[in-house]
């Protein structure tokens, strides 16, 4: 047993604490009711702080939405968002003229680069039953050399994202979904070209791990000096290298050591975030992440002057047609459909 493979733990909050090269991670898990015909909830909004509804009343939130839950137009500069939608749907619109509807295991990987405005709305399409939504949004930093690249988004459709199943000695299984970072011979679709994750030496991995009750799993070694964290967000308990860990805990790991996990009596789920730190200064002002205060001031000035290309949509929180299906229309007019 190598106890030093577990460097420490910390409780999960909202959002989750992350380490370089990651900036932010939030787990949205909302039990939305039936839709009201306008893509919003068929329920009273009384008692909610509309525009800033983060309390979780009745198990769901409107966030910044007023009719439809979600996040109407807002800017980003200097980093990437990786949005993993496990249940439900997200409607994307941006200042480049691109749109998308994705979910049910799809991932959108957006490089904000020099600046983009986008909206992420959560349409409630089912008017006869509940509309559960579960997603991770992860912010991955961009190195200084790539802070001003052209904005770009990639769709990683669920059908193209590989899973790797491991069975332990007594037949209990673990399924690993690989959004970024090779696992043995299993490789996911490539990230955007200017992503830190596109550099092999950056050792970036984003995996979700689902363990059956009592299952055992050994995580392979990563590179030395890589930051590696497991977020244990669903289940009862597990044992990591002899250390018992309760759910809602982040487990900080030594990356260059194998780590043996033994799950407790309930099915468990974990998110792994891993990457070599950039080691650059990080100065953040809301949705802008740069390397200096001067660059933040420039980002604010640029946004006020240009609105990062303006907003071509008739509302700050556009929602696509009910029958649109899962699709992505890129700024160059190219359209792709879910696999």
């Amino acid at each position: 047993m190598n106890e030093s493979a577990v460097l420490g733990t910390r409780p999960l909050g909202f959002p989750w604490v992350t380490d370089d090269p990651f900036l932010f991670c939030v787990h949205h898990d909302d039990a939305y009711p039936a839709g009201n015909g306008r893509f919003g909830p068929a329920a009273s909004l009384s008692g909610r702080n509309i525009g800033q509804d983060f309390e979780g009343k009745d198990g769901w939130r409107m966030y910044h939405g007023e009719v439809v839950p979600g996040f109407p137009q807002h800017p980003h500069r200097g980093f990437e968002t990786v949005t993993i939608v496990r249940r439900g749907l997200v409607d994307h619109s941006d200042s480049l003229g691109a749109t998308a509807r994705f979910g049910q295991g799809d991932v959108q990987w957006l490089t904000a680069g020099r600046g983009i405005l986008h909206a992420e709305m959560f349409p409630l399409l089912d008017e006869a039953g509940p509309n559960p939504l579960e997603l991770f949004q992860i912010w991955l930093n961009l190195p200084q050399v790539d802070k001003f690249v052209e904005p770009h988004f990639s769709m990683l459709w669920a059908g193209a994202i590989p899973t790797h199943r491991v069975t332990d000695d007594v037949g209990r299984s673990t399924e690993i979904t690989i959004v970024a970072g090779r696992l043995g011979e299993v490789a996911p679709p490539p990230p955007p070209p200017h992503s830190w994750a596109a550099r092999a030496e950056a050792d970036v991995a984003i995996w979700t791990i689902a363990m059956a009750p009592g299952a055992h799993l050994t995580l392979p070694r990563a590179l030395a000096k890589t930051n590696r964290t497991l977020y244990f967000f669903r289940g009862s308990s597990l044992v990591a290298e002899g250390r018992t860990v309760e759910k809602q805990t982040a487990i900080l790991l030594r990356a260059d050591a194998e780590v043996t996990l033994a799950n407790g009596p309930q099915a468990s789920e974990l998110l792994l975030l891993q990457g070599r730190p950039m080691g650059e200064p990080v100065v953040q002002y809301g949705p802008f992440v740069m390397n200096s205060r001067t660059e933040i001031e420039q980002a604010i000035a640029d946004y006020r002057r240009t609105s990062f290309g303006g907003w071509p949509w008739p509302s700050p929180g556009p929602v696509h047609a009910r029958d649109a299906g899962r699709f992505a229309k890129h700024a160059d007019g190219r359209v792709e459909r879910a696999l």
Side-chain angles (χ1 to χ4, degrees):
M1 183 176 71
N2 181 6
E3 295 184 5
S4 66
V6 177
L7 302 178
T9 62
R10 58 193 176 211
L12 299 185
F14 188 88
W16 297 347
V17 175
T18 57
D19 299 299
D20 187 0
F22 297 96
L23 300 162
F24 170 95
C25 180
V26 66
H27 181 213
H28 294 292
D29 193 1
D30 290 281
Y32 290 114
N36 62 7
R38 297 184 298 154
F39 304 105
S44 171
L45 300 182
S46 176
R48 294 179 181 271
N49 184 16
I50 296 302
Q52 291 283 346
D53 178 26
F54 286 81
E55 295 301 317
K57 183 176 183 288
D58 300 326
W60 51 275
R61 306 163 178 86
M62 290 295 289
Y63 299 105
H64 297 313
E66 297 184 0
V67 176
V68 180
F71 296 86
Q73 68 171 79
H74 56 282
H76 291 307
R77 172 180 275 187
F79 63 98
E80 299 184 287
T81 60
V82 183
T83 306
I84 304 169
V85 184
R86 293 156 57 87
R87 294 183 295 162
L89 295 165
V90 173
D91 278 6
H92 164 94
S93 304
D94 67 38
S95 54
L96 304 180
T99 56
R101 172 173 287 166
F102 60 99
Q104 302 171 15
D106 301 327
V107 176
Q108 185 195 64
W109 197 314
L110 172 66
T111 304
R114 62 177 175 78
I116 192 170
L117 272 173
H118 77 150
E120 301 157 293
M121 306 306 295
F122 308 149
L124 309 185
L125 300 185
D126 190 343
E127 297 176 25
N131 288 272
L133 176 82
E134 183 187 2
L135 64 86
F136 297 108
Q137 184 162 99
I138 301 157
W139 290 12
L140 176 61
N141 203 6
L142 284 168
Q144 187 171 30
V145 68
D146 290 323
K147 290 286 191 188
F148 288 91
V149 297
E150 291 294 314
H152 174 88
F153 82 80
S154 298
M155 288 305 311
L156 282 58
W157 301 111
I161 298 172
T163 58
H164 179 65
R165 186 178 294 274
V166 178
T167 303
D168 63 21
D169 292 342
V170 295
R172 299 186 180 103
S173 65
T174 296
E175 186 171 276
I176 304 172
T177 301
I178 304 164
V179 174
R182 179 182 294 270
L183 176 57
E185 297 302 313
V186 183
H194 290 282
S195 176
W196 187 242
R199 307 180 184 207
E201 70 277 12
D203 201 24
V204 171
I206 302 173
W207 304 341
T208 58
I209 301 171
M211 301 183 71
H216 287 66
L217 172 70
T218 299
L219 291 175
R221 293 178 176 87
L223 299 180
K225 300 183 180 179
T226 288
N227 286 332
R228 193 182 220 189
T229 303
L230 272 174
Y231 297 88
F232 178 28
F233 65 92
R234 185 168 290 142
S236 57
S237 64
L238 58 80
V239 177
E241 288 294 334
R243 181 169 178 169
T244 300
V245 180
E246 304 299 324
K247 69 175 180 179
Q248 297 301 306
T249 299
I251 310 166
L252 283 65
L253 302 176
R254 202 184 102 201
D256 60 347
E258 290 186 343
V259 179
T260 300
L261 304 175
N263 193 23
Q266 296 181 12
S268 291
E269 293 190 83
L270 306 98
L271 173 71
L272 178 140
L273 296 183
Q274 167 190 304
R276 196 190 79 194
M278 294 177 190
E280 296 180 353
V282 174
V283 181
Q284 181 174 351
Y285 182 80
F288 307 137
V289 182
M290 304 303 292
N291 298 105
S292 70
R293 182 67 192 178
T294 299
E295 290 173 332
I296 290 291
E297 292 170 354
Q298 185 63 54
I300 295 169
D302 290 348
Y303 174 57
R304 288 173 175 167
R305 187 182 74 255
T306 70
S307 297
F308 295 159
W311 190 247
W313 310 108
S315 76
V319 178
H320 308 318
R322 181 175 298 278
D323 60 354
R326 287 154 56 217
F327 76 97
K329 181 178 181 181
H330 295 262
D332 62 3
R334 177 172 56 93
V335 177
E336 53 182 300
R337 295 280 174 183
L339 300 175

